[in-house]
């Protein structure tokens, strides 16, 4: 096996973790290979606060060989070098005289300088980047580098870019299989859905996770609601207000005084006070507040105006565009992005096409920032 093969095996190990069990930590897998090329230890990070992948792999290897000085450690992410919920992995590597470490990606956390520390102590460190490792930890990298959640925008549109008719009616543009993909892949991996009070009231949206042959799952919701319309008596019967044990409803508003109608006091509703500048949400402040409440991956399901705001803020990391075989021939129908400001063709936002998938008559286009 080549170094790439061993590292890819460590990558496959890392994918066994459930991201919601380890977040905000990244996926990490590690293997120990002896001088004969045999894998004698392997591990992956399973639980936030639990043992790191390197620790598990080394512990397993020690059951087979007491001397690891001629072994190589393959790990998908640069070993940590600081005290957090666990001791530094670099200390353990040095304690067992492992002389060679191959890593799949550097850790963007400024507290981590594992590669430098290992090199300073005579360890041969090889950085061998594999695209699949970076792709798997894309959320972690955005969280660390940009200090904000990773945003995915989901849109179902007509062939001419309309997401609803002029009256706001959008059910159902996409087919049932496309909607199944949204629940199984996008909603199930997100920490929350971000939308607006207007969208929830218009669609009476429940915004949970509905999987085939399974009981519906809760999902937290962040609602842009500047006037706190959802807290009014007339909206207490909305489908959004269902019994919740493991999720919350966050209302984003600039208001400092909030009155919750009696019918809603049993629900886990929290207010996120965020300023609106000239009527526009301060997304930078929102980003900070979401990270503070441990929201690291967000799925945006909203209208053209909010979509446009996040596009302007350069906060759309991935766009999932479901193109349906329909045309709404109406200039006043609602578009994917609604912005009244002039923008030239040269100034238009460019995204990279990542994937094309045919879902019956729909076509899913996945773009990356």
């Amino acid at each position: 096996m080549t170094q790439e093969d061993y590292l890819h095996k460590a990558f496959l190990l890392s994918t066994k973790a459930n991201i919601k069990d380890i977040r905000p930590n990244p996926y990490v897998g590690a293997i120990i290979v002896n001088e004969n090329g045999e894998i004698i230890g392997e591990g992956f990070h399973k639980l936030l606060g639990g043992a790191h992948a390197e620790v598990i792999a080394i512990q397993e290897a020690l059951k087979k060989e007491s001397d690891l000085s001629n072994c190589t450690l393959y790990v998908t992410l640069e070993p940590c070098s600081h005290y957090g919920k666990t001791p530094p992995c670099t200390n353990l590597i040095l304690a067992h005289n492992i002389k060679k470490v191959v890593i799949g990606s550097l850790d963007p956390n400024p507290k981590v300088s594992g590669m430098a520390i290992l090199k300073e102590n005579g360890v041969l460190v090889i950085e061998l980047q594999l695209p699949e490792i970076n792709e798997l930890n894309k959320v972690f990298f955005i969280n660390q580098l940009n200090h904000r959640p990773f945003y995915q925008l989901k849109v179902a549109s007509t062939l001419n870019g309309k997401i609803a008719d002029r009256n706001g009616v959008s059910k159902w543009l996409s087919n049932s299989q496309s909607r199944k993909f949204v629940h199984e892949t996008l909603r199930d991996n997100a920490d929350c859905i971000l939308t607006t009070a207007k969208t929830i009231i218009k669609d009476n949206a429940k915004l949970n996770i509905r999987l085939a042959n399974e009981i519906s799952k809760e999902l937290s919701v962040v609602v842009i609601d500047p006037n706190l319309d959802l807290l009014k008596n007339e909206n207490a019967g909305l489908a959004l207000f269902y019994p919740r044990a493991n999720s919350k409803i966050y209302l984003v508003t600039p208001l400092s005084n909030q009155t919750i109608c009696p019918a809603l006091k049993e629900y886990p509703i929290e207010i996120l006070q965020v300023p609106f500048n000239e009527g526009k949400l301060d997304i930078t402040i929102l980003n900070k507040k979401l990270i503070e409440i441990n929201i690291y991956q967000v799925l945006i399901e909203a209208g053209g105006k909010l979509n446009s705001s996040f596009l302007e803020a350069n906060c759309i990391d991935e766009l999932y565009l479901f193109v349906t075989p329909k045309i709404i021939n109406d200039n006043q129908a609602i578009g994917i992005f609604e912005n009244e400001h002039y923008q030239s063709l040269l100034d238009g936002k460019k995204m990279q096409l990542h994937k094309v998938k045919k879902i019956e008559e729909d076509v899913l286009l996945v773009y990356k920032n």
Side-chain angles (χ1 to χ4, degrees), residues 291-304:
I291 290 292
E292 287 174 353
I293 58 175
N294 300 320
I295 290 179
Y296 302 100
Q297 182 171 343
V298 176
L299 178 63
I300 303 173
E301 296 190 23

Side-chain angles (χ1 to χ4, degrees), residues 112-125:
V112 175
S113 56
M115 184 165 71
I117 289 173
L118 292 174
K119 285 183 175 181
E120 288 170 3
N121 285 274
V123 178
L124 172 61
V125 182

Side-chain angles (χ1 to χ4, degrees), residues 258-329:
Q258 309 94 23
T259 301
I260 300 177
C261 72
L264 295 178
K265 288 189 176 179
E266 64 182 281
Y267 296 101
I269 299 172
E270 290 192 17
I271 304 299
L272 298 181
Q273 191 175 359
V274 177
F276 282 62
N277 303 318
E278 298 181 355
K280 295 186 68 173
L281 172 70
D282 190 325
I283 293 176
T284 300
I285 300 297
L286 176 65
N287 288 338
K288 181 179 178 181
K289 288 185 175 288
L290 292 181
I291 290 292
E292 287 174 353
I293 58 175
N294 300 320
I295 290 179
Y296 302 100
Q297 182 171 343
V298 176
L299 178 63
I300 303 173
E301 296 190 23
K305 290 184 179 179
L306 189 67
N307 294 348
S308 180
S309 295
F310 275 83
L311 183 71
E312 283 189 339
N314 197 32
C315 283
I316 297 177
D317 298 297
E318 290 182 344
L319 167 61
Y320 284 76
L321 175 59
F322 296 85
V323 181
T324 68
K326 301 173 185 176
I327 296 174
I328 301 178
N329 192 19

Side-chain angles (χ1 to χ4, degrees), residues 37-109:
E38 300 168 332
I39 297 173
I40 60 172
E42 57 183 42
F44 65 96
H45 184 44
K46 300 177 182 179
L47 188 67
L48 180 65
H52 287 190
E54 301 97 312
V55 175
I56 298 171
I58 289 172
Q59 289 174 344
E60 185 176 295
L62 289 171
K63 295 176 183 178
K64 300 175 182 176
E65 297 185 17
S66 59
D67 182 5
L68 303 183
S69 60
N70 291 318
C71 293
T72 300
L73 167 66
Y74 291 85
V75 60
T76 57
L77 187 71
E78 180 182 12
C80 65
S81 56
H82 65 290
Y83 283 88
K85 295 183 182 296
T86 60
C89 289
T90 49
N91 288 5
L92 188 65
I93 295 168
L94 295 173
H96 291 286
N97 296 313
I98 296 174
K99 298 300 184 184
K100 182 179 178 181
V101 176
V102 180
I103 63 175
S105 60
L106 296 177
D107 193 322
N109 186 338

Side-chain angles (χ1 to χ4, degrees), residues 200-298:
I200 289 174
I201 294 169
K202 174 175 61 65
D203 294 342
N204 192 23
K206 198 167 188 178
L207 298 178
N208 60 354
I209 303 169
R210 299 183 293 279
L211 305 176
N213 303 317
E214 291 186 23
I215 297 174
S216 297
K217 297 165 61 176
E218 298 175 36
L219 184 59
S220 292
V221 183
V222 175
V223 186
I224 311 303
D225 190 4
N227 299 315
L228 294 178
D229 292 327
L230 290 186
L231 298 185
K232 296 176 181 177
N233 285 310
E234 60 265 30
N235 292 321
L238 288 170
L240 181 72
F241 300 112
Y242 60 83
R244 295 171 182 263
N246 304 303
S247 62
K248 293 183 178 181
I249 300 169
Y250 299 96
L251 303 183
V252 178
T253 178
L255 303 178
S256 56
N257 297 318
Q258 309 94 23
T259 301
I260 300 177
C261 72
L264 295 178
K265 288 189 176 179
E266 64 182 281
Y267 296 101
I269 299 172
E270 290 192 17
I271 304 299
L272 298 181
Q273 191 175 359
V274 177
F276 282 62
N277 303 318
E278 298 181 355
K280 295 186 68 173
L281 172 70
D282 190 325
I283 293 176
T284 300
I285 300 297
L286 176 65
N287 288 338
K288 181 179 178 181
K289 288 185 175 288
L290 292 181
I291 290 292
E292 287 174 353
I293 58 175
N294 300 320
I295 290 179
Y296 302 100
Q297 182 171 343
V298 176

Side-chain angles (χ1 to χ4, degrees), residues 7-221:
L7 197 55
H8 184 73
K9 186 170 180 61
F11 159 76
L12 293 177
L13 277 173
S14 73
T15 65
K16 292 183 177 182
N18 182 331
I19 188 58
K20 292 190 177 182
D21 290 337
I22 62 174
R23 192 171 279 165
N25 286 357
Y27 292 95
V28 185
I31 62 174
I32 303 290
V33 178
N34 68 14
E35 58 187 328
N36 297 319
E38 300 168 332
I39 297 173
I40 60 172
E42 57 183 42
F44 65 96
H45 184 44
K46 300 177 182 179
L47 188 67
L48 180 65
H52 287 190
E54 301 97 312
V55 175
I56 298 171
I58 289 172
Q59 289 174 344
E60 185 176 295
L62 289 171
K63 295 176 183 178
K64 300 175 182 176
E65 297 185 17
S66 59
D67 182 5
L68 303 183
S69 60
N70 291 318
C71 293
T72 300
L73 167 66
Y74 291 85
V75 60
T76 57
L77 187 71
E78 180 182 12
C80 65
S81 56
H82 65 290
Y83 283 88
K85 295 183 182 296
T86 60
C89 289
T90 49
N91 288 5
L92 188 65
I93 295 168
L94 295 173
H96 291 286
N97 296 313
I98 296 174
K99 298 300 184 184
K100 182 179 178 181
V101 176
V102 180
I103 63 175
S105 60
L106 296 177
D107 193 322
N109 186 338
K111 294 180 180 179
V112 175
S113 56
M115 184 165 71
I117 289 173
L118 292 174
K119 285 183 175 181
E120 288 170 3
N121 285 274
V123 178
L124 172 61
V125 182
I126 299 173
E127 183 185 355
L128 187 62
Q129 291 200 11
L130 300 183
E132 59 265 36
I133 294 175
N134 290 329
E135 174 66 19
L136 185 65
N137 280 325
K138 60 189 178 183
V139 174
F140 174 72
F141 291 140
I142 287 292
N143 295 163
Q144 292 292 322
L145 294 172
N146 296 358
H147 309 291
R148 64 165 175 82
F150 182 92
Y151 288 101
Q152 294 174 312
L153 172 62
K154 186 275 292 184
V155 176
S157 86
T158 63
L159 291 173
N160 58 330
K162 303 297 183 180
I163 62 174
D165 64 23
R166 66 168 62 190
N167 296 316
V169 177
S170 60
K171 290 186 177 181
W172 293 102
L173 273 176
S174 58
N175 62 45
S176 61
Q177 291 304 305
S178 292
R179 298 195 295 274
K180 179 182 177 184
F181 178 91
V182 170
H183 285 264
E184 292 182 346
T185 303
L186 299 181
R187 288 190 180 184
D188 200 39
N189 287 322
D191 292 326
C192 74
I193 293 176
L194 174 68
T195 189
T196 65
K198 180 179 178 181
T199 296
I200 289 174
I201 294 169
K202 174 175 61 65
D203 294 342
N204 192 23
K206 198 167 188 178
L207 298 178
N208 60 354
I209 303 169
R210 299 183 293 279
L211 305 176
N213 303 317
E214 291 186 23
I215 297 174
S216 297
K217 297 165 61 176
E218 298 175 36
L219 184 59
S220 292
V221 183

